[in-house]
């Protein structure tokens, strides 16, 4: 890159966008205005001299018609000191030896002799005669002679000067108006961008994502590019606000949920620190409670870490057959919840159903659903698991889900009024839905006929 180009690029980087846009618009309009003025000047100048040249050609034809070709060389008419016709004229022979004794009024050049000899084409010349601008026409006249005709060009010159002055004023006004227009275009066109910038700077300064850019009124679907950019920025701000609110809720809920088990852990730890004052039964009970609480806190922290990602990791996927996976998870749940009978019904069509996924994550999803159902099921009341080619359903016969709780059962740390006395952190269903979405499935909850809750995992495809 040349030094001049690097300097231009550095100058552009140091100027705000509004200034660059104003200068670009003004330069474009000014270039057009100056170009139009220059073209108009050239046309006017051409037309004025064309009219003068036509008068000279007519005068030369008139002399040729009125004069005998046997006339002697010399000045024919000599009124060039006056404005207007007839033009001053003279006849010039091809041979300088045939020149008259009286000097010529108009300048005779070598090209004049060539026209007289027929070796050159007729031509026009601009010159100064008697201190006045003059236009001269030289053409062939008879045999071996040339005629020169001249007219004062004061009117044409004055017209050219007046046109130049007028068009210069018009061009200057056009440049000035182009500057004002460029400023107006930059100010009006970049107003939404300025509002967007101000909003972004305000959010960066206050860390408050509730601000929005005011959009101009207009029919939907006919917005310009800047308006669509502002609308997209508003949508991004809404997503950011929701994300910030979700993060704050997560921190608040996590701190609330962790406070109780951490307090119990500290109590049991302090109790075990005075183990010499405890009986063997008290020491065993405190150790068991401490181990159980450690498992609960560890599980809750692991769940929080996975949920805080807001998305599933992307390990290598494989085709997972659901029938054996669900059967394995149900067998594990029977060992973990011995007081709750689990029934599994797999339709013949579902035996070969498989989906791309991660076996460990899908097992975690089904385990969370079974644990949730077993937790709310009365003892000796079955949890019914049904697998079809379209969906996996888990139904319990517990108290069910109240209508006001249905929209929130998959929220983090949400626990219905009936579930607050039961063990758990309120993260299992949230994690189950996150895993389902990562595998292209849809997890929903509803009340079951005859009581209890029904969770339905609609399989992809």
């Amino acid at each position: 890159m040349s030094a001049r180009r690097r300097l231009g690029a550095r100058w552009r980087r140091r100027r705000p966008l509004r200034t660059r846009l104003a200068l670009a618009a003004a330069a474009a309009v000014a270039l057009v205005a100056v170009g139009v003025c220059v073209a108009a000047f050239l046309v006017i100048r051409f037309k004025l001299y064309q009219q003068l040249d036509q008068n000279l050609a007519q005068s030369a034809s008139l002399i040729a018609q009125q004069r005998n070709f046997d006339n002697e060389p010399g000045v024919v008419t000599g009124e060039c000191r006056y404005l207007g016709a007839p033009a001053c004229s003279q006849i010039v022979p091809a041979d300088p030896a045939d020149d008259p004794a009286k000097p010529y009024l108009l300048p005779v050049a070598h090209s004049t002799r060539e026209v007289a000899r027929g070796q050159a084409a007729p031509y026009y010349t601009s010159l100064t005669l008697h201190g006045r601008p003059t236009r001269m026409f030289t053409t062939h006249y008879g045999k071996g002679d040339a005629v020169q005709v001249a007219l004062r060009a004061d009117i044409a010159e004055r017209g050219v000067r007046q046109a130049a002055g007028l068009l210069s004023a018009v061009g200057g006004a056009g440049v000035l108006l182009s500057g004002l227009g460029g400023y107006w275009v930059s100010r009006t066109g970049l107003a939404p961008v300025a509002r967007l910038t101000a909003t972004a700077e305000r959010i960066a300064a206050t860390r408050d994502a509730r601000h929005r850019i005011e959009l101009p009124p207009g029919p939907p679907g006919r917005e310009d590019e800047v308006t669509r950019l502002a609308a997209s920025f508003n949508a991004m701000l809404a997503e950011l606000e929701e994300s910030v609110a979700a993060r704050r809720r997560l921190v608040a809920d996590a701190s609330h949920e962790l406070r109780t088990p951490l307090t119990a852990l500290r109590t049991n730890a302090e109790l075990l620190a005075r183990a010499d004052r405890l009986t063997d039964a008290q020491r065993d009970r405190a150790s068991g409670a401490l181990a159980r609480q450690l498992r609960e806190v560890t599980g809750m922290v692991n769940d929080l870490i996975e949920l805080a990602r807001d998305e599933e990791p992307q390990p290598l996927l494989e085709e997972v057959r659901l029938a054996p996976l669900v059967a394995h998870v149900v067998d594990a749940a029977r060992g973990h919840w011995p007081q709750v009978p689990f029934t599994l019904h797999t339709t013949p069509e579902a035996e070969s159903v498989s989906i791309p996924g991660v076996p460990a994550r899908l097992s975690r999803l089904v385990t969370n659903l079974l644990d949730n159902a077993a937790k709310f099921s009365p003892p000796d009341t079955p949890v019914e698991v049904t697998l079809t080619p379209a969906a996996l359903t888990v139904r319990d016969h517990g108290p069910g889900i109240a209508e006001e709780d249905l929209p929130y059962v998959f929220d983090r740390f949400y626990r219905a009024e009936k579930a607050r006395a039961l063990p758990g952190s309120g993260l299992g269903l949230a994690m189950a839905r996150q895993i389902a979405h990562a595998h292209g499935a849809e997890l929903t909850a509803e009340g079951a006929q005859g009581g209890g809750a029904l969770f339905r995992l609609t399989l992809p495809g």
Side-chain angles (χ1 to χ4, degrees):
M1 183 183 293
S2 65
R4 181 180 299 177
R5 187 173 300 177
R6 286 196 300 269
L7 182 62
R10 192 181 305 116
W11 183 89
R12 287 192 297 271
R13 286 195 300 269
R14 292 180 178 177
R15 295 297 180 274
L17 178 60
R18 177 176 296 180
T19 302
R20 285 182 283 163
L21 180 60
L23 290 177
V29 177
L31 185 63
V32 172
V34 171
V36 169
C37 291
V38 170
F41 171 77
L42 294 176
V43 169
I44 292 174
R45 182 176 178 273
F46 172 76
K47 296 303 291 184
L48 288 175
Y49 278 101
Q50 184 185 44
Q51 184 178 3
L52 184 61
D53 293 343
Q54 288 175 352
N55 291 337
L56 289 172
Q58 291 175 359
S59 298
S61 299
L62 185 61
I63 292 173
Q65 293 173 3
Q66 293 177 350
R67 299 290 179 177
N68 192 332
F69 287 125
D70 294 333
N71 287 346
E72 295 294 329
V75 176
V76 179
T77 57
E79 294 87 2
C80 282
R81 66 177 58 90
Y82 305 107
L83 274 173
C88 57
S89 57
Q90 64 186 19
I91 299 174
V92 180
D95 189 357
D98 298 333
D99 287 344
K102 187 178 180 180
Y104 291 112
L105 179 64
L106 303 175
V108 177
H110 178 69
S111 57
T112 308
R113 308 290 185 179
E114 291 182 344
V115 171
R117 288 193 291 267
Q119 297 176 351
Y123 63 92
Y124 294 92
T125 308
S126 296
L127 57 115
T128 301
L129 191 64
H130 303 299
R132 300 290 184 178
T134 304
R135 184 76 168 170
M136 183 177 68
F137 177 56
T138 303
T139 185
H140 187 69
Y141 176 80
K143 297 180 179 179
D145 292 323
V147 61
Q148 291 180 302
V149 184
L151 281 173
R152 283 178 54 179
D154 301 49
I155 297 177
E157 291 287 337
R158 188 182 305 113
V160 170
R161 287 195 300 270
Q162 291 175 350
L166 180 61
L167 292 175
S168 297
V170 172
V175 171
L176 178 61
L177 291 177
S178 67
L180 296 176
Y183 174 77
W184 179 82
V185 167
S186 65
R187 185 178 181 84
T188 304
L190 294 179
V193 178
R195 291 197 297 269
L196 189 150
T197 304
T199 303
E201 291 174 346
R202 192 182 307 117
I203 293 172
T206 62
R207 296 183 179 274
D208 186 359
R210 293 175 297 177
H211 298 285
R212 296 293 184 272
I213 300 174
E214 183 180 355
L215 301 179
R222 296 184 180 180
E223 301 89 353
D224 57 14
E225 290 80 359
V226 178
T227 303
R228 291 202 300 270
L229 174 62
S232 300
F233 191 76
N234 283 343
M236 183 186 67
L237 289 178
E239 293 289 337
L240 177 62
E241 182 182 5
E242 183 178 352
S243 175
V244 171
R247 186 187 64 182
R248 290 173 178 171
R249 287 196 304 269
L250 175 63
V251 173
D253 293 341
S255 62
H256 175 75
E257 294 292 334
L258 286 172
R259 187 179 295 115
T260 300
L262 287 177
T263 302
L265 277 174
R266 184 175 61 185
T267 301
N268 288 317
E270 291 174 353
L271 187 61
L272 288 175
R274 298 190 296 270
D276 54 339
R277 303 179 186 179
L278 302 177
T279 65
D280 292 341
Q282 291 174 331
R283 187 165 44 250
D284 292 341
R285 188 165 56 252
S287 298
L290 183 63
R292 184 175 61 256
Q293 290 157 357
L294 280 174
R295 287 195 299 271
E296 291 180 2
V297 172
T298 301
M300 185 183 300
V301 170
N302 290 335
D303 291 345
L304 282 173
I305 292 173
E306 293 188 15
L307 286 171
R309 295 192 184 106
D310 278 335
E311 61 180 9
E312 285 285 298
Q314 298 295 326
L316 293 176
L317 300 181
E318 57 182 279
E319 286 294 325
V320 181
R321 292 186 60 197
L322 292 182
L325 182 142
V326 173
H328 173 75
V329 174
V330 170
D331 287 340
R334 289 178 179 136
H336 186 67
W337 301 91
Q339 75 279 11
V340 178
F342 290 86
T343 64
L344 173 61
H345 174 65
T346 303
T347 62
E349 297 83 0
E351 291 289 344
S352 60
V353 172
S354 64
I355 63 172
V358 182
R361 303 302 294 163
L362 291 173
S363 298
R364 181 67 179 274
L365 187 158
V366 180
T367 299
N368 287 0
L369 293 180
L370 297 181
D371 289 345
N372 181 77
K375 184 169 59 176
F376 289 97
S377 293
D380 300 325
T381 303
V383 172
E384 302 169 5
V385 182
T386 304
L387 177 62
T388 67
L392 170 71
T393 59
V394 177
R395 187 246 173 110
D396 63 64
H397 292 269
I401 305 173
E403 288 292 333
E404 61 272 13
D405 293 329
L406 273 177
Y408 310 106
V409 294
F410 295 105
D411 290 351
R412 300 167 183 171
F413 295 108
Y414 183 80
R415 304 183 73 186
E417 190 72 28
K418 301 175 183 178
R420 292 178 183 174
L422 298 174
S425 60
L427 297 175
L429 292 180
M431 181 174 297
R433 170 169 277 191
Q434 179 174 298
I435 297 172
H437 284 175
H439 287 78
E442 183 65 28
L443 181 61
T444 57
E446 59 190 78
Q449 288 184 348
L454 176 66
F455 287 87
R456 186 187 308 276
L457 178 67
T458 304
L459 301 178

